Amino acid sequence: MTFDLTVHLTPDDIVRGLRSDVRTGLTGAPKTLPPKWFYDARGSELFERITRLPEYYPTRAEREILAERAEEIAALTGARTVVELGSGSSEKTRLLLDAVRPTLREIVTLDVSETALADAAATLAAAYDPVVVHGVVGDFTQHLALLPGSAPRLVAFLGGTLGNLVPDERAKFLASIRDTLDDGEWLLLGTDLVKDPHVLVRAYDDAAGVTAEFNRNVLHVLNRELAANFDPTAFEHVALWDYEQEWVEMRLRATRAMEVRVPVVGLTVSFAEGEELRTEVSAKFRRDRVAAELADAGFALREWWTDAESRFGVTLAQATG
Ligand code: SAH
Ligand code: TRP
């Protein structure tokens, strides 16, 4: 089996990035943190548990679409390389890889979470031998220019992760994917769709409390990496639907007033009782918005599919000249 791992984010880079994000995010008003810091080894495991929760429908809905459409995607794209960004466990992706197998020569998986990536890349290398698997530890907002792989490439960005970027970041990110592709190459994009707010909020606030634990995990990461002294039990998980932005917003609410020290960045951060720290947005889409954002970035929408209940959308788009 052929498998290599390239690290664009060393532990040093990670701590440097975390320091700078924490300095900006915890001194701003309101306080915010970027979502990529959820995903250390424990965060990636908690996310895998989220994907199996009864309330968290997006994974199952997207899997349903991929199962139904994988052969069509393979026939349309004839992909030699599948590049997956924010790949996590790459579990659903195997439906796609199985279908494109006759033309498939290389698989590239990129994720910030080195543990999730190393496991997934080794599993894929064993399952798809002699296809070459390149695991890349990197940030999909920074390291796209460096991706290996022979044409035609199909970039898969699944799980609704696009929604974790705010509109400005999305525009930049989609444009950077377009820049790395040649005319005619492909993007497969999974987006969660606008629906009943109760269903949406429950998907991010499950009865078993797994999402709450996942949300608080970012505080454990800050404690470990930056020697901070957050008391994660003093923060409660909040998920709410923002009607205007059409996104679910995740926050951590301080249940008492407190001062938190973050020695590695020389900060002492005060929280008022009830003060909220925004940890993530998860934007929900409509077909028109997906098509418009793709068009702005230089992609033409070729196919749009949803699951039987229209909960989730998968788009096949092509880089245009
Ligand atoms: N694609 C998988 C996982 C989605 S969860 C699925 O559909 O189930 C989001 C994934 O993106 C996690 O594995 C996380 O580690 C990764 N991720 C988040 N921000 C990232 C970034 N900026 N660069 C690279 N990977 C990122
Ligand atoms: N990409 C996933 C989503 O937006 C990430 C996610 C799922 C998430 N549940 C979460 C992020 C809870 C933060 C908190 O659906």
Side-chain angles (χ1 to χ4, degrees):
M1 77 181 193
T2 321
F3 154 41
D4 57 62
L5 195 71
T6 307
V7 180
H8 290 308
L9 278 176
T10 64
D12 267 7
D13 298 330
I14 290 179
V15 171
R16 210 171 309 128
L18 183 59
R19 269 171 22 199
S20 131
D21 284 350
V22 163
R23 225 178 262 125
T24 313
L26 293 188
T27 56
K31 297 182 174 70
T32 61
L33 284 173
K36 68 177 175 192
W37 304 114
F38 288 127
Y39 298 96
D40 64 348
R42 177 167 182 267
S44 291
E45 272 171 41
L46 285 167
F47 181 74
E48 286 307 306
R49 283 174 60 194
I50 289 175
T51 65
R52 291 189 289 271
L53 291 169
E55 295 94 338
Y56 194 75
Y57 63 85
T59 304
R60 286 184 293 278
E62 189 177 46
R63 184 181 299 124
E64 175 189 323
I65 301 166
L66 292 174
E68 197 163 329
R69 303 298 177 176
E71 293 295 337
E72 225 172 311
I73 296 167
L76 285 165
T77 64
R80 286 176 70 90
T81 303
V82 170
V83 177
E84 185 175 20
L85 305 177
S87 43
S89 69
S90 291
E91 195 198 299
K92 275 172 290 165
T93 320
R94 295 184 62 160
L95 294 162
L96 184 67
L97 297 172
D98 290 343
V100 300
R101 186 136 199 198
T103 55
L104 188 65
R105 298 293 175 271
E106 289 171 82
I107 299 171
V108 182
T109 55
L110 180 144
D111 205 286
V112 276
S113 177
E114 178 156 4
T115 51
L117 185 81
D119 283 359
T123 305
L124 293 177
Y128 293 93
D129 184 67
V131 172
V132 181
V133 178
H134 306 284
V136 181
V137 181
D139 184 329
F140 52 58
T141 63
Q142 293 171 34
H143 298 122
L144 294 191
L146 309 166
L147 294 179
S150 51
R153 289 168 295 177
L154 169 62
V155 173
F157 192 50
L158 304 176
T161 306
L162 184 70
N164 303 136
L165 302 175
V166 297
D168 273 6
E169 295 171 334
R170 288 207 295 271
K172 277 199 203 104
F173 169 71
L174 291 172
S176 75
I177 298 179
R178 172 62 190 93
D179 280 350
T180 67
L181 294 180
D182 292 325
D183 293 358
E185 292 188 307
W186 300 90
L187 171 64
L188 187 71
L189 180 65
T191 46
D192 196 14
L193 304 180
V194 175
K195 62 181 62 61
D196 177 353
H198 296 102
V199 174
L200 285 170
V201 168
R202 262 193 294 133
Y204 294 88
D205 194 7
D206 61 284
V210 182
T211 305
E213 209 39 48
F214 177 72
N215 196 3
R216 282 192 285 263
N217 192 52
V218 73
L219 303 180
H220 292 283
V221 170
L222 266 49
N223 285 351
R224 188 186 60 232
E225 299 296 335
L226 304 180
N229 67 344
F230 277 97
D231 173 5
T233 65
F235 285 85
E236 57 189 16
H237 171 67
V238 177
L240 50 85
W241 173 241
D242 183 324
Y243 282 86
E244 250 164 55
Q245 305 285 355
E246 297 195 318
W247 65 41
V248 176
E249 195 163 313
M250 252 73 61
R251 301 177 181 172
L252 289 168
R253 181 189 292 146
T255 55
R256 53 176 167 83
M258 63 190 118
E259 296 222 314
V260 178
R261 292 178 16 81
V262 194
V264 173
V265 288
L267 271 184
T268 302
V269 187
S270 310
F271 285 87
E273 181 179 345
E275 185 175 348
E276 294 174 341
L277 160 67
R278 184 177 95 182
T279 51
E280 164 129 297
V281 302
S282 187
K284 305 306 167 188
F285 293 83
R286 303 168 189 274
R287 184 189 192 277
D288 287 356
R289 172 125 150 219
V290 173
E293 292 191 10
L294 286 172
D296 285 348
F299 286 101
L301 187 152
R302 297 293 182 225
E303 300 288 341
W304 163 264
W305 299 295
T306 70
D307 61 302
E309 294 172 55
S310 297
R311 293 170 298 177
F312 199 92
V314 171
T315 303
L316 182 65
Q318 194 166 24
T320 48

